[in-house]
């Protein structure tokens, strides 16, 4: 195989790492171009591949009733690096797939560097190459120069929203005489899973004071020319509070499915949940508490939460710009840039949202690029699979004029005939979606065997 048949992947996050793994396992030589640690980003802490910058959770692992759990299943069936490594570094999370983030990224890095078909080049790529086979998986933190090159090539205004990062608290600074360990509705098969979340209860008065402080707190200002177009799945808590004083009680602070053992006869008015962030159980992140408050304000406001009065923070929340393509306009069904078919895009920059979705699009881009290099023709990814539903959405299924980043969800799936709509039929409907998807995906994978 000549040098021109090498696959170059720009970006070593979830999508780039998964793309490299898939292509390398198909026998293609791969070079990962990663700008970290030489060029740092606001959110990354290390130069490791596959570093998690926001939550440490891959969300629900239920492959029968949840679309993201189904995506987990499909990635596992395809020998996905991200899912395989997540399983090795799994933490209890009450039915979700959460991982110990540092060893997870270290393991991803070690596996890729040990692969005979993979090499890593630490450098910043600032332009779009005219020849060779390339995948750009630069994620939400695409560098300024590369972003300008993409904008220049596509002729489109770069769309942007802001992702906010939740704070992380040291476990030994939490007052357990007020807090307790319990997953909602005691969900999970083991005692560890059923007690995976740490809960801090609030009375109505405490909730009202907290909302007042949240609304009054100093917030990060945006740079000139930036607009705060948030993705609804990752809204800063103060933005949620601005939408209504009860919004948080119906979101991350909902008090349902929990009983406070310190006061079992008294139902909390609101509950703040924290999820274990590492295997040692020394760090907990505040679930759903992405924020754009200034650091001093965060410390003051979060210490109003019962149990966190003396909290020490390993990391405070933050906010960063997230750039993505108008993929329905710019990409073909093979994830290639229509104006430059030697370039594919993968991951969050394509307009999918979330670690799992990003890695899934990396998996597809890696296989598609490798097949092209090897002269193979791949069958179209079946739309009935979770992978297919997602790639169809971003490469043509979505309305280009209103295109926004999307998590995988059953709303992207083609209906199953003969099944009841509405809430009552949901369980049967979701099971039918997942059964059909597994069969379709398994058939698609057979062409690689």
């Amino acid at each position: 195989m000549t040098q021109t048949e090498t696959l170059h992947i720009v970006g070593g996050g979830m999508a780039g790492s998964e793309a490299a793994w898939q292509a390398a396992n198909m026998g293609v030589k791969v070079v990962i171009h990663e700008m970290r640690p030489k060029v740092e980003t606001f959110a990354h802490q290390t130069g490791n591949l596959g570093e998690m910058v926001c939550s440490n959770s891959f969300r629900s692992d239920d492959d029968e009733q949840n679309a993201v759990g189904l995506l987990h299943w499909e990635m596992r069936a395809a020998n996905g690096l991200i899912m395989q490594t997540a399983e090795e570094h799994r933490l209890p999370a009450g039915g979700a797939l959460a991982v110990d983030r540092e060893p997870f990224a270290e393991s991803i890095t070690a596996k890729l560097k040990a692969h005979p078909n993979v090499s890593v080049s630490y450098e910043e790529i600032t332009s779009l190459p005219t020849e060779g086979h390339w995948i750009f998986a630069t994620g939400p933190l695409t560098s300024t120069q590369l972003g300008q090159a993409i904008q220049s090539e596509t002729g489109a205004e770069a769309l942007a929203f802001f992702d906010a990062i939740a704070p992380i608290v040291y476990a030994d600074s939490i007052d357990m005489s007020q807090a307790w360990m319990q997953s909602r509705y005691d969900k999970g098969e083991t005692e560890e899973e059923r007690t995976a979340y740490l809960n801090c209860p609030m009375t109505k008065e405490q909730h009202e004071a907290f909302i007042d402080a949240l609304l009054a707190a100093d917030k990060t200002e945006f740079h000139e020319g930036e607009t705060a177009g948030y993705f609804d799945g990752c809204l800063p808590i103060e933005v949620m509070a601005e939408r209504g004083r009860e919004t948080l009680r119906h979101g991350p602070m909902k008090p349902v499915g929990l009983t406070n053992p310190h006061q079992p006869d008294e139902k909390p008015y609101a509950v703040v949940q924290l999820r274990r962030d590492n295997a040692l159980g020394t760090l907990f992140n505040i679930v759903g508490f992405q924020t754009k408050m200034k650091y001093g304000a965060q410390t003051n406001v979060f210490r109003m939460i019962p149990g966190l009065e003396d909290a020490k923070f390993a990391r405070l929340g933050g906010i960063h710009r997230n750039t993505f393509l108008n993929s329905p306009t710019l990409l073909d069904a093979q994830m290639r840039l229509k104006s430059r078919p030697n370039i594919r895009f993968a991951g969050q920059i394509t307009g999918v949202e979330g670690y799992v979705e990003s890695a899934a699009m990396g998996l597809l881009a890696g296989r598609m690029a490798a097949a092209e290099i090897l002269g193979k023709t791949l069958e179209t990814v079946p739309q009935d699979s979770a992978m297919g539903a997602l790639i169809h959405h971003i490469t043509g299924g979505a309305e280009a004029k209103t295109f926004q980043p999307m998590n995988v969800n059953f709303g992207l799936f083609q209906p199953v005939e003969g099944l009841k709509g509405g809430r009552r039929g949901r369980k049967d409907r979701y099971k039918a979606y997942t059964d059909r998807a597994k069969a379709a995906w398994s058939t698609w994978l057979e062409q690689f065997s």
Side-chain angles (χ1 to χ4, degrees), residues 106-217:
E106 287 165 3
S107 184
I108 293 284
T109 307
K111 287 177 184 179
L112 286 167
K113 286 188 170 181
H115 200 295
N117 287 337
V118 177
S119 60
V120 183
S121 176
Y122 291 98
E123 61 185 330
E124 182 183 5
I125 302 294
T126 57
S127 60
L128 297 180
T130 54
E131 35 184 59
H133 300 272
W134 292 78
I135 294 174
F136 280 80
T138 47
L141 302 178
T142 297
S143 68
T144 303
Q145 274 187 281
L146 181 56
Q148 288 168 350
I150 293 168
Q151 190 170 349
S152 174
E153 173 63 30
T154 59
E157 270 302 305
L159 301 176
F161 63 97
F162 292 82
D163 265 352
I165 297 173
I168 293 177
V169 179
Y170 288 105
D172 61 8
S173 69
I174 299 169
D175 179 3
M176 293 306 293
S177 70
Q178 298 186 72
W180 76 96
M181 304 297 297
Q182 183 190 4
S183 298
R184 286 192 203 283
Y185 303 105
D186 300 307
K187 194 171 181 179
E189 293 181 9
T190 65
E191 182 62 19
E192 203 175 27
E193 291 281 348
R194 288 189 286 271
T195 56
Y197 290 82
L198 193 150
N199 302 280
C200 298
M202 280 187 179
T203 63
K204 184 171 184 179
E205 292 73 24
Q206 288 168 332
H207 172 266
E208 291 303 307
F210 180 76
I211 297 299
D212 287 340
L214 203 54
L215 294 172

Side-chain angles (χ1 to χ4, degrees), residues 320-396:
H320 60 265
R321 192 170 186 273
N322 187 339
T323 306
F324 64 97
L325 298 172
N326 192 315
S327 293
T329 306
L330 301 172
L331 302 185
D332 68 12
Q334 286 262 321
M335 303 173 78
R336 292 175 296 214
L337 192 58
K338 290 174 185 174
S339 62
R340 287 206 195 182
N342 69 310
I343 292 172
R344 280 179 169 81
F345 282 88
Q348 267 189 260
I349 197 167
T350 64
V352 296
E353 176 63 19
Y355 292 141
V356 181
E357 291 85 343
S358 296
M361 294 303 96
L363 188 153
L364 288 180
R367 287 196 174 220
M368 287 171 172
E372 189 173 289
I373 289 169
L374 297 169
K376 295 180 179 177
T377 303
L378 292 186
E379 294 170 21
T380 303
V381 184
Q383 201 177 330
D384 286 339
S385 65
M387 294 272 188
L390 204 50
I391 193 174
H392 174 77
H393 176 77
I394 64 170
T395 60

Side-chain angles (χ1 to χ4, degrees), residues 63-124:
D63 60 47
E64 293 191 347
Q65 291 290 314
N66 189 286
V68 78
L70 173 62
L71 209 47
H72 291 181
W73 187 96
E74 292 183 8
M75 291 169 73
R76 287 180 177 123
N79 184 31
L81 172 67
I82 300 299
M83 284 298 115
Q84 175 196 107
T85 312
E87 201 61 47
E88 292 164 6
H89 298 283
R90 186 171 192 151
L91 297 174
L97 176 58
V99 304
D100 195 348
R101 69 173 77 215
E102 285 186 20
F104 169 82
E106 287 165 3
S107 184
I108 293 284
T109 307
K111 287 177 184 179
L112 286 167
K113 286 188 170 181
H115 200 295
N117 287 337
V118 177
S119 60
V120 183
S121 176
Y122 291 98
E123 61 185 330
E124 182 183 5

